[in-house]
Amino acid sequence: MYENEKQILTQFEAKLHELIEKYNKQKEFNDRLTKLINEKEESLDKLQARYNELEQNYTNLKQARMISLSYEEVDSAKEHIAKLVREIDQCIDSLIKKQ
């Protein structure tokens, strides 16, 4: 019986070592996955920050464009008024010359 118990104990130790080895491999694999997840989360955070920055820049650009269009419209209106004033002056000059 002693030999049988020794054999069972040896088999148990072998299976225990195998189980410990599998556990260590699984633990290493989980550690690598955790590290990869952390790297991806950091990358995602950076990309999200960059996206927010670009979105803010786009909003600012749209606002600047709207302002510049307003200035262009003012300039265009000034030019149109100046043209009308010149035409009126020409009409007045024509009337004065006819008298």
Side-chain angles (χ1 to χ4, degrees):
M1 188 77 150
Y2 177 73
E3 196 62 39
N4 190 21
E5 290 174 355
K6 190 174 181 182
Q7 184 181 10
I8 291 173
L9 185 59
T10 304
Q11 289 174 350
F12 176 75
E13 286 177 353
K15 289 185 180 186
L16 182 61
H17 286 296
E18 183 181 336
L19 185 61
I20 290 172
E21 185 177 326
K22 286 182 179 181
Y23 168 79
N24 288 333
K25 286 181 181 179
Q26 191 65 42
K27 188 172 186 297
E28 288 176 15
F29 181 71
N30 287 343
D31 290 343
R32 285 192 309 250
L33 288 178
T34 302
K35 182 180 176 184
L36 182 63
I37 288 171
N38 290 337
E39 290 172 358
K40 295 297 181 186
E41 286 176 348
E42 288 176 16
S43 177
L44 181 62
D45 289 343
K46 288 178 184 178
L47 289 173
Q48 184 66 42
R50 179 68 176 142
Y51 171 80
N52 292 339
E53 179 185 346
L54 289 173
E55 190 173 34
Q56 183 62 42
N57 288 345
Y58 177 69
T59 302
N60 292 343
L61 182 61
K62 284 194 315 188
Q63 291 173 349
R65 179 123 169 89
M66 289 171 55
I67 290 170
S68 70
L69 285 177
S70 297
Y71 289 135
E72 289 174 4
E73 290 172 0
V74 169
D75 290 341
S76 176
K78 284 181 181 179
E79 289 175 12
H80 185 67
I81 291 172
K83 182 179 176 185
L84 291 174
V85 168
R86 283 192 300 271
E87 289 177 8
I88 291 171
D89 285 343
Q90 288 175 354
C91 289
I92 292 173
D93 286 343
S94 292
L95 290 173
I96 291 175
K97 288 180 183 178
K98 285 186 179 180
Q99 287 180 352

